[in-house]
Amino acid sequence: MKPAPFEYLAATSAAEAAEALAAANGDGKIIAGGQSLMPMINFRLVKPTILIDINRIAGLDRIEKHGERLRIGATVRHRMTATDALVHRHIPILHDAMHHVAHLTVRNRGTFCGSVCHADPAAEMPVMTLLLDGTITALSIRGERQIAASDFFVGSLMTALEPDEFVTSIDIDTLPPETGWGFEEFSRRHGDFALACVATTLRIVDGVAGDVRFGMMGVGETPLRLPDIETLVEGQAISEMLLQDVSETLKGLLHPNTDIHASADYRLHLAGALARRALRDAWTRATLRKDGADA
Amino acid sequence: MPEKKITLSVSVNGVAHTATVEPRMLLSDFLRHELGLTGTHVGCEHGVCGACTVILDGRSARSCLTLAVQAEGVEIETVEGQGSVDRLGRIQEAFRQHHALQCGFCTPGFIMAITDMLRHHPLESDEQIREALSGNICRCTGYEHIVNAVRELARERGPLT
Ligand SMILES: Cc1cc2nc3c(=O)[nH]c(=O)nc-3n(C[C@H](O)[C@H](O)[C@H](O)COP(=O)(O)OP(=O)(O)OC[C@H]3O[C@@H](n4cnc5c(N)ncnc54)[C@H](O)[C@@H]3O)c2cc1C
Ligand code: FES
Ligand code: FES
């Protein structure tokens, strides 16, 4: 299929993009990498009156460290996040996760922020943003606003952005060097969207897990943080009994859908299996990293 | 709705072109219909098959997910820039030698994706090669011969510096 007609603006400043978005009265769309938007436009699932291209706005294509946070600009491509030295050094779990996003050619164009704005429930960057206590910076002609990741994902493909707002950058936590991590995803083919995915980080403090973060995606309408699991693991050493407890608890917490890709039961089974693996990996890495730091 | 046409200038395989197009024109259609460069194939038009892969400013991209107007000022490389029937380019020659194509529908996309891979990606193991190729779909060859061709090209290239 071919797109329905629309106008096109290659914005050269964030202010220009914000004005055009406001003028479009809810019928405008921002285009970043176009890797999710263009398929929908080609199928005429989305019919904007104007596409506002943010790719030529200077200064949005950077990853910068501000204190303990990394700021990822709106036109930072997946390829850049996957190869960036700051990301590799300070957030190795994000480096790992990037390799599950689509394929080389799609990563060349698709953006971190675009993926978060698209809010596909089976995409990796939304769950990473949630896991890393992300803050989304949105701009409109009314001004700038910060939105916590925990308030941002409203539903499948739905976010807290107002129609006249767009994202200029997202800030995420870096992790202390002794943090261990586990990222486990199951998809049918490499680069496909996940049927289920677990992302977790922890440190070992006095022989038990501390600062536990536990996120999942592919098992609900939005990416999830699971505070119940975090509390369960916090203060414990990883053991077979604890992992058993985690998978049993997950069954009560998750309500996955049945769709053409997988049944709800199968997703629940995957969730338990992936959670065990991810927590084991995180524990092993935290042990190695701690020993490395002690030595 | 009145749709304003936009004039754009691009370079395709080193040749400059100027044209006036509707914003909704896909880069794949621009190359094929406006410039007559039908080597770029169109399979799915939603980013899944990879047949339409071209290179934009040095990196592979789906031309069906790019608007022609977004290519303003961009250096585009297409399969036509690789070689001709009489003088195959190196990747094309490797495909011929290894029987890496049958019907040839997917081939231009593979060749352009591989061009990017050879420039930028380690390709040290078969696993890396397969992962790099995973964005392109071929319904004929079963991929084995394509992997063989890329393995040879990667060996010939040597490690990335
Ligand atoms: C074959 C294929 C496989 C893929 N596999 C995966 C996968 O495994 N995992 C995965 O996570 N993704 C996958 N993707 C999607 C890909 O990662 C996209 O690049 C990403 O989801 C969207 O980023 P984008 O920059 O391309 O956004 P666009 O397509 O440009 O935009 C997507 C949506 O977000 C909005 N938007 C974009 N940027 C902003 C902004 N700054 N402010 C406000 N709104 C904005 C747009 O208006 C649009 O509604 C795949 C895509 C393809 C084509
Ligand atoms: S035609 Fe572009 S990816 Fe299939
Ligand atoms: S050779 Fe026929 S689709 Fe690949």
Side-chain angles (χ1 to χ4, degrees), chain A residues 1-9 31-36 38-39 42-44 48-51 53 55-56 79 99 102-109 190-191, chain B residues 1-4 6 22-24 26 29 44-47 53 56 59-62 64-67 69-74 113 116-117 121 131-132 134-136:
Chain A
M1 285 239 342
K2 306 293 177 190
F6 50 76
E7 295 201 20
Y8 170 81
L9 173 75
I31 180 164
Q35 303 300 292
S36 297
M38 285 307 299
N42 287 353
F43 282 134
R44 300 195 178 195
T49 55
I50 180 166
L51 270 193
D53 191 339
N55 286 290
R56 290 179 196 251
R79 180 190 78 233
H99 292 277
H103 319 277
L104 288 182
T105 302
V106 173
R107 291 202 292 265
N108 280 344
R109 305 289 295 179
H190 182 91
Chain B
M1 192 193 59
E3 202 191 1
K4 276 196 246 112
I6 294 179
E22 283 185 87
R24 65 167 157 166
L26 303 178
D29 289 339
C44 67
E45 270 183 351
H46 62 280
T53 305
L56 304 182
R59 297 285 182 167
S60 63
R62 307 288 208 226
C64 74
L65 300 186
T66 310
L67 296 166
V69 292
Q70 292 186 289
E72 166 63 32
V74 168
D116 181 335
M117 283 169 219
H121 294 278
E131 187 194 325
S134 69
N136 291 69

Coordinates of all heavy atoms in Angstrom, one line a residue, chain A residues 1-9 31-36 38-39 42-44 48-51 53 55-56 79 99 102-109 190-191, chain B residues 1-4 6 22-24 26 29 44-47 53 56 59-62 64-67 69-74 113 116-117 121 131-132 134-136:
Chain A
M1 N 0.8 -1.2 0.0 CA 0.0 0.0 0.0 C 0.9 1.2 0.0 O 2.0 1.2 0.4 CB -0.9 0.0 1.2 CG -2.0 -1.0 1.1 SD -3.7 -0.4 1.3 CE -3.7 1.2 2.0
K2 N 0.3 2.3 -0.4 CA 1.0 3.6 -0.4 C 0.3 4.5 0.6 O -0.9 4.5 0.8 CB 0.9 4.3 -1.8 CG 1.4 3.4 -2.9 CD 2.9 3.1 -2.8 CE 3.2 2.1 -3.9 NZ 4.6 1.6 -3.8
P3 N 1.1 5.5 1.2 CA 0.6 6.4 2.2 C -0.5 7.3 1.6 O -0.4 7.6 0.4 CB 1.8 7.2 2.6 CG 3.0 6.5 2.1 CD 2.6 5.6 1.0
A4 N -1.4 7.7 2.5 CA -2.3 8.8 2.1 C -1.5 10.1 2.1 O -0.5 10.2 2.7 CB -3.5 8.9 3.1
P5 N -2.0 11.1 1.4 CA -1.2 12.4 1.3 C -1.0 13.0 2.7 O -1.9 12.9 3.6 CB -2.1 13.3 0.4 CG -3.0 12.4 -0.3 CD -3.2 11.2 0.6
F6 N 0.1 13.7 2.8 CA 0.4 14.5 4.0 C 1.4 15.6 3.6 O 2.0 15.5 2.6 CB 0.9 13.7 5.2 CG 2.0 12.8 4.8 CD1 3.3 13.3 4.6 CD2 1.8 11.4 4.6 CE1 4.4 12.4 4.2 CE2 2.9 10.6 4.2 CZ 4.2 11.1 4.0
E7 N 1.5 16.6 4.5 CA 2.6 17.6 4.3 C 3.8 17.1 5.1 O 3.7 16.3 6.0 CB 2.1 18.9 4.7 CG 1.0 19.4 3.8 CD 0.8 20.9 3.7 OE1 1.7 21.6 4.1 OE2 -0.3 21.3 3.3
Y8 N 4.9 17.7 4.7 CA 6.2 17.3 5.4 C 7.0 18.5 5.8 O 7.1 19.5 5.0 CB 6.9 16.5 4.4 CG 8.4 16.1 4.8 CD1 8.6 15.1 5.7 CD2 9.4 16.9 4.3 CE1 9.9 14.8 6.1 CE2 10.8 16.6 4.7 CZ 11.0 15.6 5.6 OH 12.3 15.3 6.0
L9 N 7.5 18.5 7.0 CA 8.3 19.6 7.4 C 9.6 19.0 8.0 O 9.6 18.2 9.0 CB 7.6 20.4 8.5 CG 8.5 21.5 9.2 CD1 8.8 22.7 8.2 CD2 7.9 22.0 10.5
I31 N 8.3 12.3 13.1 CA 9.0 11.1 12.6 C 10.4 11.2 13.0 O 11.1 12.2 12.8 CB 8.8 11.0 11.0 CG1 9.6 9.7 10.5 CG2 9.3 12.2 10.2 CD1 9.2 9.3 9.2
A32 N 10.9 10.1 13.6 CA 12.3 10.0 14.0 C 13.0 9.0 13.1 O 13.3 9.3 11.9 CB 12.4 9.6 15.5
G33 N 13.1 7.8 13.5 CA 13.7 6.7 12.6 C 12.7 6.3 11.5 O 13.1 5.8 10.5
G34 N 11.5 6.4 11.8 CA 10.4 6.0 10.9 C 10.3 4.4 10.8 O 9.5 3.9 10.0
Q35 N 11.0 3.7 11.7 CA 11.0 2.2 11.5 C 9.7 1.6 12.1 O 9.4 0.5 11.8 CB 12.2 1.6 12.2 CG 13.5 2.2 11.6 CD 13.7 1.9 10.1 OE1 13.8 0.8 9.7 NE2 13.6 3.0 9.3
S36 N 9.0 2.3 12.9 CA 7.7 1.9 13.3 C 6.5 2.7 12.7 O 5.5 2.2 12.4 CB 7.5 2.0 14.9 OG 8.5 1.1 15.5
M38 N 6.6 4.4 9.7 CA 6.4 4.3 8.3 C 5.6 3.0 7.9 O 4.7 3.1 7.0 CB 7.7 4.3 7.5 CG 8.3 5.7 7.4 SD 7.2 7.0 6.7 CE 6.9 6.3 5.1
P39 N 5.8 1.9 8.6 CA 4.9 0.7 8.2 C 3.4 1.1 8.5 O 2.6 0.8 7.7 CB 5.4 -0.4 9.2 CG 6.8 0.0 9.5 CD 6.9 1.5 9.5
N42 N 2.3 3.4 5.7 CA 2.2 2.7 4.4 C 0.9 1.9 4.4 O 0.3 1.7 3.3 CB 3.4 1.7 4.2 CG 4.7 2.5 3.8 OD1 4.6 3.7 3.6 ND2 5.8 1.8 3.8
F43 N 0.5 1.3 5.6 CA -0.8 0.6 5.6 C -2.0 1.5 5.9 O -3.1 1.0 6.0 CB -0.7 -0.4 6.8 CG 0.1 -1.7 6.5 CD1 1.0 -2.1 7.4 CD2 -0.1 -2.3 5.3 CE1 1.7 -3.3 7.1 CE2 0.6 -3.5 5.0 CZ 1.6 -4.0 6.0
R44 N -1.7 2.8 5.9 CA -2.8 3.8 6.2 C -3.5 3.5 7.5 O -4.7 3.8 7.7 CB -3.8 3.8 5.0 CG -3.1 4.2 3.8 CD -4.1 4.7 2.7 NE -3.4 5.1 1.5 CZ -3.9 5.8 0.5 NH1 -5.1 6.2 0.5 NH2 -3.2 6.1 -0.5
P48 N -1.6 11.0 9.2 CA -1.3 12.4 9.7 C -1.5 13.4 8.6 O -1.4 13.0 7.4 CB 0.2 12.3 10.1 CG 0.7 11.2 9.3 CD -0.4 10.2 9.0
T49 N -1.9 14.6 9.0 CA -1.9 15.7 8.0 C -0.5 16.2 7.7 O -0.3 16.7 6.6 CB -2.9 16.8 8.4 OG1 -2.4 17.3 9.7 CG2 -4.3 16.4 8.5
I50 N 0.3 16.2 8.7 CA 1.7 16.6 8.5 C 2.7 15.7 9.3 O 2.4 15.3 10.4 CB 1.8 18.1 8.9 CG1 3.3 18.6 8.7 CG2 1.4 18.3 10.4 CD1 3.5 20.1 8.8
L51 N 3.8 15.4 8.6 CA 4.9 14.7 9.3 C 5.9 15.7 9.6 O 6.4 16.5 8.7 CB 5.5 13.7 8.3 CG 4.9 12.3 8.3 CD1 5.9 11.4 7.6 CD2 4.7 11.7 9.7
D53 N 9.6 16.1 10.7 CA 10.8 15.3 10.8 C 11.8 16.0 11.7 O 12.1 17.2 11.5 CB 11.4 15.3 9.4 CG 12.6 14.3 9.2 OD1 13.2 13.9 10.3 OD2 12.8 13.8 8.1
N55 N 14.9 14.8 12.4 CA 16.2 14.3 12.2 C 17.3 15.4 11.9 O 18.5 15.2 12.0 CB 16.2 13.3 11.0 CG 15.6 12.0 11.5 OD1 16.3 11.3 12.3 ND2 14.4 11.7 11.0
R56 N 16.8 16.6 11.4 CA 17.8 17.6 11.1 C 17.9 18.7 12.2 O 18.6 19.7 12.0 CB 17.4 18.3 9.7 CG 17.6 17.2 8.6 CD 17.3 17.7 7.2 NE 17.2 16.6 6.3 CZ 18.0 16.3 5.4 NH1 19.1 17.2 5.1 NH2 17.9 15.3 4.6
R79 N 21.8 2.0 16.6 CA 23.2 1.6 16.4 C 24.1 2.4 17.3 O 25.1 1.8 17.8 CB 23.5 2.0 14.9 CG 25.0 1.7 14.5 CD 25.4 2.2 13.2 NE 25.7 3.6 13.3 CZ 25.2 4.6 12.5 NH1 24.3 4.3 11.6 NH2 25.5 5.8 12.6
H99 N 21.1 -5.5 21.5 CA 21.4 -6.5 20.5 C 20.2 -7.4 20.2 O 20.2 -8.1 19.3 CB 22.6 -7.3 20.9 CG 23.9 -6.5 20.8 ND1 24.5 -6.3 19.6 CD2 24.5 -5.8 21.7 CE1 25.5 -5.5 19.8 NE2 25.5 -5.1 21.1
A102 N 15.6 -5.7 16.8 CA 15.5 -5.7 15.3 C 16.8 -6.2 14.7 O 17.5 -7.1 15.2 CB 15.1 -4.3 14.8
H103 N 17.2 -5.6 13.5 CA 18.3 -6.0 12.7 C 19.2 -4.8 12.4 O 18.7 -3.7 12.5 CB 17.8 -6.6 11.4 CG 16.6 -7.5 11.6 ND1 16.7 -8.8 12.0 CD2 15.3 -7.3 11.5 CE1 15.5 -9.3 12.1 NE2 14.6 -8.4 11.9
L104 N 20.4 -5.1 11.9 CA 21.3 -4.0 11.6 C 20.7 -2.9 10.9 O 20.9 -1.7 11.3 CB 22.4 -4.6 10.7 CG 23.5 -5.5 11.3 CD1 24.5 -5.9 10.3 CD2 24.1 -4.9 12.5
T105 N 20.0 -3.2 9.8 CA 19.5 -2.1 8.9 C 18.5 -1.3 9.6 O 18.4 0.0 9.5 CB 19.0 -2.7 7.6 OG1 20.0 -3.4 7.0 CG2 18.4 -1.7 6.7
V106 N 17.6 -1.9 10.5 CA 16.6 -1.2 11.2 C 17.3 -0.4 12.3 O 16.9 0.7 12.6 CB 15.6 -2.2 11.8 CG1 14.6 -1.5 12.7 CG2 14.8 -2.9 10.6
R107 N 18.3 -1.0 12.9 CA 19.0 -0.3 14.0 C 19.8 1.0 13.5 O 20.0 1.9 14.2 CB 20.0 -1.2 14.7 CG 19.3 -2.3 15.5 CD 20.2 -2.9 16.6 NE 21.3 -3.6 16.1 CZ 21.3 -4.9 16.0 NH1 20.3 -5.6 16.3 NH2 22.4 -5.6 15.5
N108 N 20.2 0.9 12.2 CA 20.8 2.1 11.6 C 19.9 3.3 11.7 O 20.4 4.5 11.6 CB 21.2 1.8 10.2 CG 22.5 1.0 10.0 OD1 23.2 0.9 11.0 ND2 22.7 0.4 8.8
R109 N 18.6 3.2 11.7 CA 17.7 4.3 11.6 C 16.9 4.5 12.8 O 16.6 5.6 13.2 CB 16.7 4.1 10.4 CG 17.3 3.8 9.0 CD 18.0 5.0 8.5 NE 17.1 6.1 8.1 CZ 17.4 7.3 7.7 NH1 18.7 7.5 7.4 NH2 16.5 8.2 7.4
H190 N 15.7 -14.4 15.6 CA 16.5 -13.3 16.0 C 16.0 -11.9 15.5 O 15.7 -11.8 14.3 CB 17.9 -13.4 15.6 CG 18.8 -12.3 16.1 ND1 19.5 -12.4 17.3 CD2 19.0 -11.1 15.6 CE1 20.1 -11.3 17.5 NE2 19.8 -10.5 16.5
G191 N 15.9 -10.9 16.4 CA 15.4 -9.6 16.0 C 13.9 -9.5 15.9 O 13.4 -8.4 15.7
Chain B
M1 N -7.1 17.4 0.7 CA -6.1 18.4 1.2 C -5.0 18.7 0.2 O -4.5 17.8 -0.5 CB -5.4 17.7 2.4 CG -4.5 18.6 3.2 SD -3.5 17.7 4.4 CE -2.6 16.6 3.3
P2 N -4.7 20.0 0.0 CA -3.7 20.3 -1.0 C -2.3 19.8 -0.4 O -2.0 20.2 0.7 CB -3.7 21.8 -1.1 CG -4.3 22.3 0.2 CD -5.1 21.1 0.7
E3 N -1.6 19.1 -1.2 CA -0.3 18.6 -0.7 C 0.8 19.3 -1.5 O 0.9 19.2 -2.7 CB -0.3 17.1 -1.0 CG 0.7 16.3 -0.2 CD 0.9 14.9 -0.7 OE1 0.3 14.6 -1.7 OE2 1.7 14.2 -0.1
K4 N 1.6 20.0 -0.8 CA 2.7 20.7 -1.4 C 3.8 19.8 -1.9 O 4.3 19.0 -1.1 CB 3.3 21.7 -0.4 CG 2.5 23.0 -0.3 CD 3.3 24.1 0.3 CE 2.7 24.5 1.6 NZ 3.2 24.3 2.9
I6 N 7.6 18.9 -3.1 CA 8.9 19.4 -2.6 C 9.9 19.0 -3.6 O 9.9 17.9 -4.2 CB 9.2 18.8 -1.2 CG1 8.1 19.3 -0.2 CG2 10.6 19.0 -0.8 CD1 8.3 18.7 1.2
E22 N 5.8 14.5 -4.4 CA 4.9 14.6 -3.2 C 5.6 14.1 -2.0 O 6.4 13.1 -2.1 CB 3.7 13.7 -3.5 CG 2.7 14.2 -4.4 CD 1.5 13.2 -4.5 OE1 0.5 13.4 -3.6 OE2 1.5 12.3 -5.3
P23 N 5.3 14.7 -0.8 CA 6.0 14.2 0.4 C 5.8 12.7 0.7 O 6.6 12.0 1.3 CB 5.3 15.0 1.5 CG 4.8 16.3 0.8 CD 4.5 15.8 -0.6
R24 N 4.6 12.2 0.2 CA 4.3 10.8 0.6 C 5.0 9.8 -0.3 O 4.9 8.6 -0.1 CB 2.8 10.5 0.5 CG 2.3 10.7 -0.9 CD 0.9 10.1 -1.0 NE 0.1 10.6 -2.1 CZ -1.0 10.1 -2.5 NH1 -1.5 9.0 -1.9 NH2 -1.7 10.7 -3.5
L26 N 7.6 7.2 -1.4 CA 8.6 6.4 -0.7 C 9.9 6.5 -1.5 O 9.9 6.6 -2.7 CB 8.2 5.0 -0.5 CG 6.8 4.8 0.2 CD1 6.5 3.3 0.2 CD2 6.9 5.3 1.6
D29 N 10.0 3.9 -4.2 CA 9.3 4.3 -5.5 C 10.0 5.4 -6.2 O 10.0 5.4 -7.5 CB 7.8 4.8 -5.1 CG 7.0 3.6 -4.7 OD1 7.3 2.4 -5.0 OD2 6.0 3.8 -4.0
C44 N 7.7 -6.1 0.7 CA 6.6 -6.1 1.7 C 6.1 -4.6 2.0 O 5.0 -4.5 2.5 CB 7.1 -6.7 3.0 SG 8.4 -5.7 3.8
E45 N 7.0 -3.7 1.7 CA 6.6 -2.3 2.1 C 6.3 -2.0 3.5 O 5.6 -1.1 3.8 CB 5.5 -1.7 1.1 CG 6.1 -1.1 -0.1 CD 5.1 -0.5 -1.0 OE1 3.9 -0.6 -0.8 OE2 5.5 0.2 -2.0
H46 N 6.8 -2.9 4.4 CA 6.7 -2.5 5.8 C 7.9 -2.9 6.6 O 7.8 -3.1 7.8 CB 5.3 -2.9 6.5 CG 5.1 -4.3 6.5 ND1 4.6 -5.1 5.5 CD2 5.2 -5.2 7.6 CE1 4.5 -6.3 5.8 NE2 4.8 -6.5 7.1
G47 N 9.0 -2.9 6.0 CA 10.3 -3.0 6.7 C 10.7 -4.4 7.1 O 11.7 -4.6 7.8
T53 N 16.6 -2.7 0.6 CA 17.7 -2.1 1.3 C 18.6 -1.3 0.3 O 19.0 -1.8 -0.7 CB 18.5 -3.2 2.0 OG1 17.6 -3.9 2.9 CG2 19.6 -2.6 2.8
L56 N 22.3 4.8 2.7 CA 22.1 6.3 2.8 C 23.2 6.8 3.6 O 23.4 6.4 4.8 CB 20.8 6.6 3.5 CG 19.5 6.0 2.9 CD1 18.3 6.5 3.7 CD2 19.3 6.5 1.4
R59 N 25.3 4.1 5.4 CA 24.7 3.0 6.3 C 23.4 2.5 5.6 O 22.7 3.2 5.0 CB 24.3 3.6 7.6 CG 25.4 4.1 8.5 CD 26.2 3.0 9.1 NE 27.3 3.5 9.9 CZ 28.0 2.7 10.7 NH1 27.7 1.4 10.9 NH2 28.9 3.3 11.5
S60 N 23.2 1.2 5.7 CA 22.1 0.5 5.1 C 20.8 1.0 5.7 O 20.7 1.4 6.9 CB 22.2 -1.0 5.2 OG 22.1 -1.4 6.6
A61 N 19.7 1.1 4.9 CA 18.4 1.6 5.3 C 17.4 1.0 4.4 O 17.6 0.6 3.2 CB 18.4 3.1 5.2
R62 N 16.2 0.8 5.0 CA 15.0 0.3 4.2 C 14.5 1.5 3.4 O 14.1 2.5 3.9 CB 13.9 -0.1 5.1 CG 14.2 -1.1 6.2 CD 14.4 -2.4 5.6 NE 14.1 -3.5 6.6 CZ 14.9 -4.5 6.8 NH1 16.0 -4.6 6.1 NH2 14.5 -5.5 7.6
C64 N 11.8 1.5 1.7 CA 10.4 1.6 1.8 C 9.9 2.2 3.1 O 8.7 2.5 3.3 CB 9.7 0.2 1.7 SG 10.0 -0.8 3.2
L65 N 10.9 2.4 4.1 CA 10.5 3.1 5.3 C 11.1 4.5 5.3 O 11.2 5.1 6.4 CB 11.0 2.3 6.5 CG 10.4 0.9 6.7 CD1 10.9 0.3 8.0 CD2 8.9 0.9 6.6
T66 N 11.6 5.0 4.2 CA 12.2 6.3 4.1 C 11.4 7.1 3.0 O 11.1 6.5 2.0 CB 13.7 6.2 3.6 OG1 14.3 5.2 4.4 CG2 14.4 7.5 3.7
L67 N 11.1 8.3 3.3 CA 10.4 9.1 2.3 C 11.5 9.7 1.4 O 12.6 10.1 1.9 CB 9.7 10.3 3.0 CG 8.5 9.8 3.9 CD1 8.1 11.0 4.8 CD2 7.4 9.3 3.1
V69 N 11.6 12.6 0.2 CA 12.0 14.0 0.7 C 12.9 14.0 1.9 O 13.6 15.0 2.1 CB 10.7 14.8 1.1 CG1 9.9 15.2 -0.1 CG2 9.9 14.1 2.2
Q70 N 13.0 12.9 2.6 CA 14.0 12.8 3.7 C 15.4 12.6 3.1 O 16.4 12.7 3.9 CB 13.7 11.6 4.6 CG 12.4 11.8 5.4 CD 12.2 10.6 6.4 OE1 11.9 9.5 6.0 NE2 12.4 10.9 7.7
A71 N 15.5 12.3 1.9 CA 16.9 12.0 1.3 C 17.5 13.2 0.7 O 18.6 13.2 0.1 CB 16.8 10.9 0.2
E72 N 16.9 14.4 1.0 CA 17.5 15.7 0.5 C 19.0 15.7 0.9 O 19.3 15.6 2.1 CB 16.7 16.8 1.1 CG 17.4 18.2 1.0 CD 17.6 18.7 -0.4 OE1 16.8 18.3 -1.3 OE2 18.6 19.4 -0.7
G73 N 19.9 15.9 -0.1 CA 21.3 16.1 0.2 C 22.0 14.8 0.6 O 23.2 14.9 1.0
V74 N 21.3 13.7 0.5 CA 21.9 12.4 1.0 C 22.6 11.7 -0.2 O 22.2 11.8 -1.3 CB 20.8 11.5 1.6 CG1 21.3 10.1 1.8 CG2 20.3 12.1 2.9
A113 N 22.8 -4.7 2.1 CA 23.0 -4.9 3.5 C 24.5 -5.5 3.7 O 25.1 -5.1 4.7 CB 22.0 -5.9 4.0
D116 N 27.2 -2.8 3.8 CA 27.3 -2.1 5.1 C 28.0 -3.0 6.1 O 29.0 -2.6 6.7 CB 25.8 -1.8 5.6 CG 25.8 -1.1 6.9 OD1 26.8 -1.2 7.7 OD2 24.8 -0.4 7.3
M117 N 27.6 -4.3 6.1 CA 28.3 -5.2 7.0 C 29.8 -5.3 6.8 O 30.5 -5.3 7.8 CB 27.7 -6.7 6.8 CG 26.4 -6.9 7.3 SD 25.9 -8.5 6.7 CE 24.2 -8.1 6.4
H121 N 31.1 -4.2 10.3 CA 30.8 -5.2 11.3 C 31.8 -6.3 11.3 O 32.4 -6.6 10.3 CB 29.4 -5.7 11.1 CG 28.3 -4.7 11.3 ND1 27.9 -4.4 12.6 CD2 27.7 -3.8 10.5 CE1 27.0 -3.4 12.6 NE2 26.9 -3.1 11.3
E131 N 23.6 -13.4 12.3 CA 22.8 -12.3 13.0 C 22.8 -11.1 12.0 O 21.7 -10.5 11.9 CB 23.5 -11.9 14.3 CG 22.6 -11.0 15.1 CD 23.3 -10.2 16.2 OE1 24.1 -10.9 16.9 OE2 23.0 -9.1 16.5
A132 N 23.9 -10.8 11.4 CA 23.9 -9.6 10.5 C 23.0 -9.8 9.4 O 22.4 -8.8 8.9 CB 25.3 -9.3 10.1
S134 N 20.2 -11.4 9.4 CA 18.8 -11.8 9.8 C 17.8 -10.8 9.4 O 16.6 -11.1 9.5 CB 18.8 -11.9 11.4 OG 19.0 -10.7 12.0
G135 N 18.2 -9.6 9.0 CA 17.2 -8.6 8.6 C 16.7 -8.7 7.1 O 15.9 -7.9 6.6
N136 N 17.2 -9.7 6.4 CA 16.8 -9.9 5.0 C 16.3 -11.3 4.9 O 16.8 -12.3 5.4 CB 18.1 -9.8 4.1 CG 18.6 -8.3 4.0 OD1 19.1 -7.8 5.0 ND2 18.4 -7.7 2.9

